[in-house]
Amino acid sequence: MGLLNKSYYIIAYYIVVATFTCLAFSSLIDSYEQTAVLPDGLSPGSMRVTVSMSEEDKESSMKTGRLIKKLTTQSNDPFLLYKDISSYGKAFFLQDHSLPLSTANGHQPKQGHSVVVLDHEMAHNIRKKDGEKYFRFNNRDYEVIDFFTPKDVGMELARKFFITLDPTTNVTGMYEVDGLSMDSVDHALKSLQKEEPSLKFEVTPLRLTVSERLEHVIQDQLVVVASLLVTIVFIMMSTIGTTTAWIDARRDEIYARYLVGARFRDVRRWLLKEYLFVVFGSFAVGAMCAFLLLAVGAFDKVVTSFDGRGLVTALAFCLLIGTSTLVVATWIDQRKKGIIRKGSS
Amino acid sequence: MGNQFLLALKDLWRQKGQTFILLVQIMLVIGLIQFAALSFIDLHKMKEEVKKLTSDKEIYGLMDLTSEKDIDTLMNDDKKAPVMRSLYEFIFHNKNFSAFRMSSNSLSVKDPALLKVKGVTPIRGQSEIEYVMTTEKFLDYFRIDIAKGRRFVAEDYVNKKTKSTPVLIGSRLAQVWDVGDIFTDAYGDQYKVIGILKEGATYIDIMASREIQQLDSMMISPVNDSKLQYFSDYDDIIPGSYIVSNDEAVMKQIVDYAAKLKTYAFAYKSMSQQVKHVIADKQEWIQIQLFLLSLVMSFTLISLIVSLLQFVAKNRYEFGIHYLTGATDKYIIMRITFQLLPLFIIGNLVNFFIDVTVMSVCVTFLASIVLGMLAVIIPVMKIRRMGLSSILRWKIK
Amino acid sequence: MIIKLKDVTKKFTTNDLSFQALAGITLSVNEGEFIAITGTSGSGKTTLLNIIGCLDGQTSGEYLIMGESVGKFDEARKASLRNEVFGFVLQDFALVEHYTVRQNVTLPLMYVKDKKKKKGRENGAKDLLAKLGIEHKEKERTALLSGGQKQRVAIGRALINEPKLILADEPTGALDQKTSKDIMEVLKKLNEEGKTVIVVTHDPFVANCCKRVIQLEDGKIVSDTTRTA
């Protein structure tokens, strides 16, 4: 009870620190996981393929259909091929593969038909012809087979439509391949290059490296990262003074311990134990506050889930901050007031 | 009261370090409150603006689905300019619907007087003025009124002969120029002021941005039909057009016509649909600000309370002496409250460095009062519960 | 009669414990008296002085100042009595150590509402310091003064508002014999000038300096003797 009475201010500070660090770390971990989710339903093994001409001005005579042919002959595995056709949409080719979008009615494209899966919000761009729904793109009508609601995919732009890949378009462009091994794709492209030597290609895995993912997290969660930094600065500004006052309030106990033979490090260890006990208790309350804030959806656009790993990281962060604050505060206190004689440690 | 204020100032000076930290925290809180208030006001204004714009007719924005490769092909096709002219005429001079377009840019003008105008950016001794190039219906749809001079007339959009481009200037620029004045930009192009906009004129390019643009320190110049020659000239205007009509079928006509001319692959979106995204985007931004604000505010509030409580605890004996010589709780509470006053006054001065509105200043001021009151409640309760005789009796120093 | 207490009691209660500090004190003080309140530690001396000085309230009984019942007074009125009617001199001097001598002496003027009076007393502060023999210390911080000098500053502060009554709680408790004598001389002189002085003490020397000695024991007056000249 005595410890509690003397620790109100510290408790108040650490409840705030714990609440925000729990939210911030949950958000950061969630964001980090999101970076592993590839856009447009692609699986982690997907790769990006860029096909271009070695001479930029030259136009290739080769068509996309040829690339598809090469890929299907290289492997019997089912695969998905996307081609960028606009900043709003992609064209797809499916080889025994389903279109990985969560559509409203679960309809899958039929082979040999020019179809489109549209974002719900594009519904007004539909035209009706003979009772069927069509979407016009590049002067061509695509039958609308289903709708989807785009997922928020972090840094990626949300697509508005996915249409059947026209095999007669020029082969150059950006593709994404899902379902095939890097080697199969590489072989297919090399075989294509043999047919037209002026073609060049580049294959890169879509999965990001840890540092790339961290970079994305920092960009995506700039405000959360900033608030963590603000927390650290504020702790530095506010808690050290309060911790010094907390130590001051325990001067009698420190003296008593010192008089019966305790050394500086013994006193510091005892203070640290008590301080971390207070920090731990405050953390529990703070974590509950964070949970409640999430439950009522107070910051639903900043933090979406309460993550166990976020909680552990926040606890480690608070204990680390607590330990360093106390160490600094005892050092300041000793220098200022000399509560423990120099050389006693 | 004056004495207590002086004592409070001395108290602040005695704990300079802590005072500085509190001041920084209060400035941060007030700055964040100001930003959040401005965002709220902006959101409200935007809703009002869109409501105002779509009250009579729906406004549609074009979505350009054309691939970059196709645009490159079009750009390099010299025969496309007449086709683009045809598409331009179809969109902007169509009897069945009206359309407008604005594209913003900036121009450099060397005039020292401009440097004093709020909203004009100084760059290497010159002043960068933002301007919007607009088609005919722009002023009508954003209900932009003229305070002095005249509006653009049809001739301004096609005039081939005049040496100077006619411009309408924002109210703040009227400190420098008047109707009839001619000025030259860094490239030697001449501009003639034909009118001054009423103060507070705004517009929003909702398909491209979520911000409401204030025209007070901007200029408006007309798109000159006769100067449109190349594909790129039309490409600057057509894809970002807004079409005003109650008949959605006209949008399909535009999409089809563009496709028929083998130019753009268009789709479209209504402004009321787009505004939902922009509002959601803005709300997210506000929430982010509130997240940061609540963090900083909680810390500041706790810091203020802790600081005042520590001050009360440290100075109990001194308060006892004041009680002994005739002070009442009222005086001691005044002294505590006055400690916060300079901090909040300086904190509120931060406002002058932010582009504020009267409303946001009022909100921030009120929030400061509430924060100050919250900070003094516990210390005041503590003071009221202090037993005077026990302070002096037990010599609590 | 300046002060009258009728059957005044004071009980301190904390949690389950209670302590009867005063048990039915009846006392009258006339203008110009020089009274010592003596007794053993815990006999209720300081409690009685605190009640007289409106620093604390009684649990029961009636306390009259110049015929008016203090029980009816609000906090502001009590504060104005502490400011204008009483002057306090305490054992530990009760000075603000970071204030200068002058700031400490003129502290009560901060709470004087009459501006004219305030101005006049501010001007008279120098004379008061001279009278107490500390005029050369006017601008020094009190933390740097000796015990005797500090008590003189406390007396100066007690006198600045020309109170009717000086209440001194162990005024010599923290001083050596010689300084104690000097301080008592000052109080004696003030009494001779017409001030009513009440001193709480357990020091026989101090009690001997006073004309009337009231002895307390267990919160009750056991003797009240007035010395004849």
Side-chain angles (χ1 to χ4, degrees), chain B residues 46-64:
Chain B
M46 196 187 70
K47 283 182 180 170
E48 287 291 305
E49 189 89 359
V50 173
K51 206 171 148 190
K52 194 172 82 182
L53 290 173
T54 52
S55 59
D56 304 331
K57 283 180 176 175
E58 182 58 276
I59 297 177
Y60 297 95
L62 287 171
M63 290 167 75
D64 184 5

Short mmCIF file of all heavy atoms in Angstrom, two decimals, chain B residues 46-64:
data_model
loop_
_atom_site.label_atom_id
_atom_site.label_comp_id
_atom_site.label_asym_id
_atom_site.label_seq_id
_atom_site.Cartn_x
_atom_site.Cartn_y
_atom_site.Cartn_z
N MET B 46 -15.74 20.59 -46.89
CA MET B 46 -15.76 19.78 -48.10
C MET B 46 -17.14 19.16 -48.32
O MET B 46 -17.67 19.16 -49.43
CB MET B 46 -14.72 18.68 -48.00
CG MET B 46 -14.43 18.05 -49.34
SD MET B 46 -13.36 16.68 -49.14
CE MET B 46 -14.48 15.58 -48.35
N LYS B 47 -17.73 18.67 -47.21
CA LYS B 47 -19.08 18.09 -47.31
C LYS B 47 -20.04 19.16 -47.83
O LYS B 47 -20.87 18.88 -48.69
CB LYS B 47 -19.54 17.58 -45.95
CG LYS B 47 -18.89 16.27 -45.56
CD LYS B 47 -19.43 15.81 -44.21
CE LYS B 47 -18.82 14.52 -43.77
NZ LYS B 47 -19.15 14.19 -42.39
N GLU B 48 -19.90 20.36 -47.27
CA GLU B 48 -20.78 21.47 -47.67
C GLU B 48 -20.59 21.80 -49.15
O GLU B 48 -21.54 21.99 -49.90
CB GLU B 48 -20.45 22.72 -46.84
CG GLU B 48 -20.91 22.64 -45.41
CD GLU B 48 -22.42 22.68 -45.29
OE1 GLU B 48 -23.01 23.65 -45.80
OE2 GLU B 48 -23.00 21.74 -44.73
N GLU B 49 -19.30 21.84 -49.53
CA GLU B 49 -18.94 22.20 -50.91
C GLU B 49 -19.55 21.20 -51.90
O GLU B 49 -20.18 21.58 -52.88
CB GLU B 49 -17.41 22.20 -51.04
CG GLU B 49 -16.89 22.76 -52.33
CD GLU B 49 -16.66 24.25 -52.29
OE1 GLU B 49 -16.93 24.89 -51.25
OE2 GLU B 49 -16.23 24.78 -53.29
N VAL B 50 -19.39 19.90 -51.57
CA VAL B 50 -19.90 18.87 -52.47
C VAL B 50 -21.42 18.92 -52.52
O VAL B 50 -22.04 18.79 -53.58
CB VAL B 50 -19.38 17.48 -52.04
CG1 VAL B 50 -20.04 16.38 -52.85
CG2 VAL B 50 -17.88 17.41 -52.20
N LYS B 51 -22.02 19.15 -51.34
CA LYS B 51 -23.49 19.24 -51.25
C LYS B 51 -23.97 20.39 -52.14
O LYS B 51 -24.93 20.26 -52.89
CB LYS B 51 -23.87 19.50 -49.79
CG LYS B 51 -25.26 19.00 -49.44
CD LYS B 51 -25.42 19.12 -47.95
CE LYS B 51 -26.85 19.41 -47.60
NZ LYS B 51 -26.99 19.76 -46.19
N LYS B 52 -23.23 21.51 -52.02
CA LYS B 52 -23.58 22.70 -52.78
C LYS B 52 -23.46 22.42 -54.30
O LYS B 52 -24.35 22.75 -55.07
CB LYS B 52 -22.60 23.81 -52.37
CG LYS B 52 -23.01 25.20 -52.79
CD LYS B 52 -22.06 26.23 -52.16
CE LYS B 52 -20.78 26.34 -52.95
NZ LYS B 52 -19.80 27.28 -52.38
N LEU B 53 -22.36 21.75 -54.65
CA LEU B 53 -22.10 21.50 -56.07
C LEU B 53 -23.08 20.52 -56.69
O LEU B 53 -23.45 20.65 -57.85
CB LEU B 53 -20.68 20.96 -56.26
CG LEU B 53 -19.54 21.93 -56.00
CD1 LEU B 53 -18.22 21.20 -56.06
CD2 LEU B 53 -19.55 23.04 -57.03
N THR B 54 -23.47 19.52 -55.90
CA THR B 54 -24.33 18.48 -56.47
C THR B 54 -25.81 18.69 -56.13
O THR B 54 -26.62 17.80 -56.31
CB THR B 54 -23.88 17.08 -55.99
OG1 THR B 54 -23.80 17.13 -54.57
CG2 THR B 54 -22.55 16.68 -56.56
N SER B 55 -26.14 19.88 -55.60
CA SER B 55 -27.52 20.11 -55.18
C SER B 55 -28.49 20.06 -56.37
O SER B 55 -29.59 19.56 -56.25
CB SER B 55 -27.63 21.43 -54.43
OG SER B 55 -27.20 22.47 -55.27
N ASP B 56 -28.08 20.61 -57.53
CA ASP B 56 -28.98 20.62 -58.69
C ASP B 56 -28.73 19.43 -59.60
O ASP B 56 -29.65 18.74 -60.01
CB ASP B 56 -28.77 21.90 -59.51
CG ASP B 56 -28.95 23.13 -58.65
OD1 ASP B 56 -29.73 23.04 -57.69
OD2 ASP B 56 -28.29 24.16 -58.93
N LYS B 57 -27.47 19.21 -59.93
CA LYS B 57 -27.13 18.17 -60.90
C LYS B 57 -25.97 17.33 -60.37
O LYS B 57 -25.17 17.82 -59.57
CB LYS B 57 -26.71 18.82 -62.22
CG LYS B 57 -27.89 19.31 -63.02
CD LYS B 57 -27.44 19.94 -64.31
CE LYS B 57 -28.65 20.34 -65.13
NZ LYS B 57 -28.30 21.06 -66.33
N GLU B 58 -25.89 16.10 -60.85
CA GLU B 58 -24.77 15.25 -60.45
C GLU B 58 -23.54 15.65 -61.26
O GLU B 58 -23.66 16.11 -62.41
CB GLU B 58 -25.13 13.77 -60.71
CG GLU B 58 -24.08 12.78 -60.30
CD GLU B 58 -23.69 12.84 -58.82
OE1 GLU B 58 -22.83 13.69 -58.48
OE2 GLU B 58 -24.23 12.06 -58.03
N ILE B 59 -22.39 15.51 -60.64
CA ILE B 59 -21.14 15.79 -61.36
C ILE B 59 -20.37 14.47 -61.47
O ILE B 59 -20.25 13.73 -60.49
CB ILE B 59 -20.31 16.86 -60.63
CG1 ILE B 59 -21.10 18.17 -60.60
CG2 ILE B 59 -18.95 17.05 -61.27
CD1 ILE B 59 -20.44 19.29 -59.85
N TYR B 60 -19.90 14.19 -62.65
CA TYR B 60 -19.13 12.96 -62.89
C TYR B 60 -17.69 13.30 -63.23
O TYR B 60 -17.41 14.30 -63.88
CB TYR B 60 -19.73 12.15 -64.05
CG TYR B 60 -21.13 11.69 -63.79
CD1 TYR B 60 -22.23 12.43 -64.22
CD2 TYR B 60 -21.36 10.50 -63.09
CE1 TYR B 60 -23.53 11.99 -63.97
CE2 TYR B 60 -22.66 10.07 -62.83
CZ TYR B 60 -23.74 10.82 -63.27
OH TYR B 60 -25.00 10.39 -63.01
N GLY B 61 -16.81 12.43 -62.77
CA GLY B 61 -15.40 12.60 -63.12
C GLY B 61 -14.98 11.45 -64.01
O GLY B 61 -15.45 10.31 -63.83
N LEU B 62 -14.11 11.71 -64.97
CA LEU B 62 -13.64 10.65 -65.86
C LEU B 62 -12.48 9.90 -65.21
O LEU B 62 -11.65 10.50 -64.54
CB LEU B 62 -13.19 11.25 -67.19
CG LEU B 62 -14.31 11.74 -68.12
CD1 LEU B 62 -13.72 12.50 -69.29
CD2 LEU B 62 -15.16 10.58 -68.63
N MET B 63 -12.46 8.58 -65.41
CA MET B 63 -11.33 7.78 -64.94
C MET B 63 -10.60 7.29 -66.19
O MET B 63 -11.21 6.66 -67.05
CB MET B 63 -11.83 6.54 -64.18
CG MET B 63 -12.45 6.84 -62.86
SD MET B 63 -13.32 5.39 -62.26
CE MET B 63 -11.96 4.36 -61.76
N ASP B 64 -9.34 7.61 -66.26
CA ASP B 64 -8.57 7.24 -67.44
C ASP B 64 -7.96 5.85 -67.24
O ASP B 64 -7.02 5.68 -66.46
CB ASP B 64 -7.48 8.30 -67.65
CG ASP B 64 -6.70 8.04 -68.93
OD1 ASP B 64 -7.08 7.12 -69.67
OD2 ASP B 64 -5.73 8.78 -69.18
#
